[in-house]
Amino acid sequence: MTSAIVAERISKQYRLGGRESYGALRDVLARSLSAPLRVFRRRAPANGADEDSMLWALRDVSFEVRDGEVIGIIGRNGSGKSTLLKILSRITEPTSGRVTVRGRVGSLLEVGTGFHPELSGRENVFVNGAILGMTRRDIVARFDDIVAFAGLERFIDTAVKHYSSGMQVRLAFAVAAHLEPEILLVDEVLAVGDAEFQRRCLGKMQEVSREGRTVLLVSHQLGQIRRLCESVIWLQAGQVQAIGPAGATIHAYESAALSNATTAGVGFRGWELASGGHVITDTTRPLTIRIHLGLKEAVVNGHFGLCILGQDDDVLAGWAFEPLELARDIDRFDITIPQLPLRPGLYRLAFALFTGGNNLTGGRMIERWVASPELGLDVRPLGHPQDAWAGVLNLSATLKVPSTGDVMTSAGDSDLEMTGAGR
């Protein structure tokens, strides 16, 4: 299998407070005509430049992506993910190192990238297709599918400058995915779309990958990465922290996030497990969440809500306790859950405390807090070995063949156990 992308020790340095120009082609041509030699000169760094004024967004990043692979790129804000995609898209050049990209690239980066605001949606579709090297006949053949996917039939002849950010993202993704680039680069901008559009985008990326095209996806939504990606690149402070299978690399990233997290609240001072720490190693037994308070007033006829949130902010479980009475000097209480059969990973806890009723009965909110650190589930996977088919719950199952007495127990890490009358 050939390589679609090869990155060799690429680095990118920015001057803090500086601005990099991304001029349009017409601007580059105008500058070259007015000063023909200027376009061949590299701007020399200022003499005596202060080291503190320079930032390495990427440093010695190397990796290889094979044709047809679907790769996720994860990391905290500022880790260099978007800079990496800009280099792969040829929007910006690396300060050092080399990138080899084999194939036509379609990219969906910042909102509005690649669109001319004065042109209509229809005109921008044809311009983008021409940039990708497609003939007018090919673009016409796919045009109706692009518009239908974006859901912009009424607005396709309206200038893009009048589109909302969500409309621009919908059209940009539809163009990038339907004009058949060999390599599709997608940044976090999908978060701008609504839930239904995100589901369609995920489905389209799965379809694109099944067709043998290469996909690189940057996302903070680890659920998306787990469902779509075979391998993951974890960037930290501009450097590659790990490259490997999606499940193992995401688990390492989540474990590091737990160790770096801090606790902070106002009415809620923090939380921990009654057994200590913030990581569960056995989800089949009762667990107790201890919540620390810093109340400035008593809670009368109150309401306490607890939700467990997934990586896509979907509510996986929720509990409400009311009417609740808490004296001002109460500094903690415990919530016990019989069991929590969720898949391994990180989950967020959201707390809400009301006095004088709840949100529907005129109660006043004292505080809503999405807790930090997150709740970690460091347990053995028991379901399907492929993350895309494992779902949310972490439950084992057995398969029995009555005629032979064979019984097989599922195990997400492929450690299948089989017992039977003849064994």
Side-chain angles (χ1 to χ4, degrees):
M1 186 180 292
T2 59
S3 298
I5 299 172
V6 178
E8 302 174 81
R9 299 179 62 85
I10 61 173
S11 299
K12 181 63 179 181
Q13 188 180 49
Y14 290 106
R15 183 183 303 278
L16 296 177
R19 181 174 298 174
E20 185 166 358
S21 173
Y22 304 109
L25 177 60
R26 63 176 181 273
D27 302 321
V28 175
L29 292 175
R31 287 197 299 270
S32 64
L33 291 174
S34 60
L37 298 180
R38 184 185 301 166
V39 295
F40 298 104
R41 300 190 193 121
R42 281 191 176 271
R43 184 177 297 174
N47 293 330
D50 185 358
E51 288 270 337
D52 293 337
S53 68
M54 307 302 292
L55 171 69
W56 286 101
L58 293 173
R59 195 72 182 262
D60 293 330
V61 172
S62 298
F63 60 90
E64 183 176 355
V65 180
R66 299 288 186 179
D67 282 334
E69 281 192 297
V70 183
I71 306 295
I73 304 176
I74 62 175
R76 298 170 65 89
N77 289 333
S79 61
K81 305 184 298 299
S82 296
T83 300
L84 177 59
L85 286 197
K86 287 179 180 178
I87 290 174
L88 298 179
S89 302
R90 308 296 193 193
I91 291 175
T92 186
E93 295 181 358
T95 303
S96 62
R98 184 174 66 175
V99 176
T100 303
V101 179
R102 299 182 178 92
R104 192 167 62 230
V105 176
S107 58
L108 178 58
L109 307 180
E110 297 173 356
V111 175
T113 300
F115 284 160
H116 194 298
E118 299 295 336
L119 298 181
S120 69
R122 181 187 301 274
E123 291 165 333
N124 271 292
V125 169
F126 281 90
V127 169
N128 275 266
I131 291 172
L132 288 173
M134 300 187 68
T135 66
R136 183 177 180 84
R137 177 180 295 177
D138 290 336
I139 300 170
V140 169
R142 294 167 176 80
F143 183 81
D144 289 342
D145 291 337
I146 291 172
V147 177
F149 188 93
L152 295 174
E153 292 88 342
R154 291 181 58 197
F155 308 101
I156 195 62
D157 290 309
T158 301
V160 166
K161 67 180 180 181
H162 298 303
Y163 284 15
S164 67
S165 59
M167 293 166 68
Q168 291 185 40
V169 166
R170 282 153 51 192
L171 183 59
F173 183 87
V175 169
H178 285 80
L179 293 185
E180 298 188 352
E182 283 91 8
I183 301 170
L184 180 61
L185 309 178
V186 183
D187 205 344
E188 186 68 40
V189 291
L190 286 186
V192 176
D194 57 31
E196 172 58 28
F197 180 70
Q198 288 186 35
R199 283 193 290 270
R200 280 192 284 152
C201 289
L202 292 174
K204 187 62 180 178
M205 282 190 281
Q206 288 175 325
E207 179 185 324
V208 165
S209 66
R210 286 194 295 268
E211 293 171 354
R213 289 182 271 167
T214 305
V215 179
L216 267 70
L217 172 65
V218 166
S219 181
H220 289 289
Q221 296 177 306
L222 300 183
Q224 292 182 354
I225 298 291
R226 280 192 170 96
R227 288 194 294 274
L228 282 174
C229 302
E230 306 152 8
S231 301
V232 167
I233 300 170
W234 170 16
L235 293 180
Q236 183 166 302
Q239 297 180 301
V240 173
Q241 185 72 15
I243 300 178
T249 307
I250 292 173
H251 176 72
Y253 172 70
E254 291 172 331
S255 298
L258 272 176
S259 64
N260 294 329
T262 59
T263 60
V266 182
F268 294 109
R269 292 290 178 82
W271 80 277
E272 62 188 349
L273 298 172
S275 57
H278 305 89
V279 179
I280 300 172
T281 57
D282 185 352
T283 58
T284 64
R285 298 180 178 179
L287 67 128
T288 298
I289 298 171
R290 179 158 294 160
I291 297 166
H292 296 277
L293 302 172
L295 296 176
K296 297 182 180 179
E297 61 180 299
V299 174
V300 180
N301 187 30
H303 165 99
F304 171 74
L306 164 63
C307 286
I308 298 179
L309 306 177
Q311 291 294 337
D312 297 335
D313 284 338
D314 44 336
V315 177
L316 304 180
W319 298 268
F321 303 89
E322 59 183 26
L324 182 66
E325 307 290 332
L326 296 174
R328 181 177 174 180
D329 59 353
I330 291 179
D331 61 358
R332 77 179 194 191
F333 57 78
D334 294 346
I335 306 293
T336 298
I337 303 169
Q339 59 180 351
L340 194 64
L342 293 175
R343 290 272 297 166
L346 285 184
Y347 298 88
R348 296 197 293 170
L349 300 179
F351 304 143
L353 184 61
F354 289 78
T355 188
N358 58 38
N359 59 314
L360 300 177
T361 60
R364 176 172 56 84
M365 179 183 287
I366 294 177
E367 184 180 6
R368 182 183 185 275
W369 185 46
V370 178
S372 175
E374 294 170 297
L375 171 66
L377 270 61
D378 187 8
V379 294
R380 178 175 175 238
L382 301 174
H384 200 290
Q386 298 177 29
D387 280 336
W389 303 101
V392 173
L393 298 180
N394 192 37
L395 299 171
S396 62
T398 57
L399 184 153
K400 183 176 181 179
V401 182
S403 61
T404 63
D406 289 342
V407 178
M408 178 176 289
T409 302
S410 67
D413 56 7
S414 298
D415 182 16
L416 299 178
E417 302 174 359
M418 179 178 284
T419 61
R423 291 175 172 76

